[in-house]
Amino acid sequence: MRIVDARVIVTCPGRNFVTLKIVTDEGVTGVGDATLNGRELAVAAYLTEHVVPLLVGRDPARIEDTWQYLYKGAYWRRGPVTMSAIAAVDTALWDIKGKVAGLPVYQLLGGRCREGVTVYGHANAETTDEVLVEIARYVDLGYRAVRVQTGVPGLAKTYGVSGDRMFYEPADAAIPTEAAWSTEKYLTHVPNVFAKVRAEFGPGLKLLHDVHHRLTPIEAGRLGKALEPFALTWMEDPVPAELQEGFRLLRQHTTTPIAVGEVFNTIWDCQQLITEQLIDYIRTTVVHAGGISHLRRIYDLAALYHVRSGSHGATDLSPVCMAAALHVDLSIPNFGLQEYMRHTPETDEVFPHAYTFDRGYLDPGDAPGLGVDIDEELAGQYPYRPASLPVNRLEDGTMHSW
Ligand code: KDG
Ligand code: MG
C-alpha cells in the first residue's frame, strides 16, 4: 500500500480547525488533527509546503519510521508547529492501520484497560452562586469530575469564564483582546469559592481548577495550601512551565496535586517534571505532542513515576484529536482523567464521529481506525476566520502570562 495524496483542510465551523487527510492507492484514508489555536495557518503551511511532498509514495504502515523521518529529518526539532504537523501525520497513519486491520485503534494499542474514559467538564460563571448552578448542571449530566472557574471581584474579565457556558472559546478576535490581572485579588478569592463548592457538593465530586500559568512557585504554593481542605483532584498549570525545576519549590509547600502539560510538545518538556515526581498529572495530548506514538512514549515514562494522564481536551482540539485521545486513554495503565469541552453542533456535523458520552464517561466506539472523519464538502462551507488568543496585563499595564 502507498500514500498517493494528502490534503490539508482548514475549516471554521464556529472556530478554526486544521485537518490532514491521507489517501492511499487502495482507497483507505486516515485523518489527523493539526490545529494550533491562534497559529493555525503556520501548521497548515508547514504541512502543505514541507510534509505532504514527503508523504506521497511512502508506505502508510511504517508509522514509527515516518515519525522519525519527519522529526530527525527536519533538523529543527520540537516546537508546537513542527510537532502538531508530525502529530497529524502520525494520527492519520494510526487511523489507516486500524482500518486496514479492521480494528479500533485502542485494540492495536493493547486493548481496553477500563470500561470507559472518565471525563471532566467545565463549570464557569462570574459569581460563586452562579457557578454552583453550573456545577449542578454537570452533575445532572452524570459527570464525576468538574473544573471550576469563576470571575474575580475587582477584575473585569477572568480566564475560563464565558458568556456561553458550555462552549468556552478564548480566541475571540483577530487582534488579541486584553484582560487585566491581579494575583492578590485572585489568591484572596479562589479558596472562598472552593469552600462553598465543597460544602454544597460533598466529598464525592472530583474538583479541578486551572490557574493558567499565572503564579510564581511560591504564590502557587500558597494557593495549593489554601485549597488543601477542599481536596482538589488537581491544580492545573500553576506556573509557566518552561522552568521545570521551579516546581520543586511549589511542591515543598503543598499536597494539592499538580497537573501540567497542555502546552508541551515533546517528552523533553516534561522529563524532569516526571522523573523528579514534581507533578501528579501530565496533560499532553495527541495534537500538540507529536501524535499517538509520541504521547504513548510520554505516558509510558509517566507510568514509571506514578504520574497519571490528564489529556487536554478543550474545544480548540478537534473531534479528530478527541477520538485519538480516547483510544490512548482507554489503553494505558496510568490513565487519570480526560478533559471534555463539548464541541458545537456545527463542529460535530463537520467531523462525524463514533465516540459517545454516557454518564460521565466517553467511549471511542468500535469502528475500525479512530472512528472519526471530516466531511470535506461541509468543511468547505466554513472558511477560515482569523482569531487570536487574548493577552493579559497586570493592572499597571505590565504584560503577564495569559
Ligand atoms: O487554546 C488554548 C486553550 O486550549 C486553553 O486555554 C484551554 O487551558 C485550557 C484548558 O485547560 O482546557
Ligand atoms: Mg488549561
Side-chain angles (χ1 to χ4, degrees), residues 26-101:
E26 293 183 20
V28 184
T29 61
V31 286
D33 184 19
T35 309
L36 184 62
N37 201 0
R39 295 292 183 269
E40 294 88 358
L41 298 185
V43 188
Y46 190 107
L47 281 167
T48 306
E49 304 297 332
H50 305 293
V51 174
V52 167
L54 308 180
L55 294 178
V56 174
R58 290 184 72 83
D59 176 358
R62 296 180 62 164
I63 299 179
E64 183 64 29
D65 182 62
T66 301
W67 197 100
Q68 298 293 337
Y69 177 77
L70 294 174
Y71 184 77
K72 293 177 176 158
Y75 185 65
W76 312 106
R77 298 183 181 198
R78 307 163 65 184
V81 175
T82 299
M83 297 311 290
S84 299
I86 294 176
V89 175
D90 182 86
T91 309
L93 295 184
W94 276 104
D95 192 19
I96 290 171
K97 196 179 276 295
K99 286 176 181 167
V100 170

Side-chain angles (χ1 to χ4, degrees), residues 147 159 210 212-213 236-237 262 283 312 339:
R147 187 186 92 156
Y159 166 76
D210 190 350
H212 225 249
H213 327 267
E236 176 178 331
D237 288 338
E262 67 184 46
R283 300 196 61 255
H312 187 203
E339 182 179 16

Side-chain angles (χ1 to χ4, degrees), residues 271-285:
Q271 184 210 10
Q272 187 181 6
L273 292 175
I274 291 171
T275 58
E276 287 192 29
Q277 297 178 287
L278 300 177
I279 57 172
D280 302 279
Y281 293 89
I282 178 69
R283 300 196 61 255
T284 41
T285 195

